[in-house]
Amino acid sequence: MKYKIVLRGMMIMEEANHGYFEEALSNFTKDFAYGGAIRHLADHGYTVDRIIKEFHYPISRESIEKIVNQHLAEQKKMRGFSDGIDTASKTGIE
């Protein structure tokens, strides 16, 4: 979204970071409200489809997939460092 600002007769176009803030706030509220529950279900073997079918969370499939995928990637990374050896780099997980 662009805003026009007029200062002393000069028009200045300014790019607003409003969209960025709205997206960050939306991600934060979704994670706060549903993230913990979704990560818990993923830890217990629930797939994205099963979470959507059984729990009817009022967030998009894309948001649920993002939460699950990030959590599983973090879990894999943590397992790679669990014994003090960087095995994650050997498996190709970043």
Side-chain angles (χ1 to χ4, degrees):
M1 191 180 300
K2 292 189 177 194
Y3 295 96
K4 292 181 182 178
I5 300 174
V6 178
L7 298 173
R8 297 182 188 185
M10 294 176 45
M11 191 179 334
I12 301 170
M13 298 296 287
E14 184 177 292
E15 185 80 25
N17 288 328
H18 190 66
Y20 174 78
F21 175 75
E22 285 181 350
E23 182 180 345
L25 181 60
S26 175
N27 290 342
F28 173 77
T29 56
K30 287 176 194 172
D31 190 61
F32 183 79
Y34 307 106
I38 291 170
R39 285 187 289 274
H40 174 78
L41 293 169
D43 284 342
H44 288 277
Y46 281 66
T47 63
V48 171
D49 289 330
R50 187 173 174 195
I51 292 169
I52 291 168
K53 182 179 178 183
E54 293 185 20
F55 293 93
H56 308 287
Y57 290 124
I59 59 176
S60 68
R61 175 185 190 83
E62 180 181 278
S63 295
I64 294 172
E65 286 175 341
K66 183 178 178 181
I67 292 169
V68 169
N69 291 336
Q70 285 178 343
H71 179 63
L72 294 177
E74 289 172 9
Q75 292 298 314
K76 287 180 184 178
K77 195 179 277 190
M78 293 303 291
R79 279 190 224 115
F81 289 104
S82 65
D83 59 356
I85 301 171
D86 182 6
T87 58
S89 63
K90 295 177 188 172
T91 60
I93 300 170
E94 295 185 35

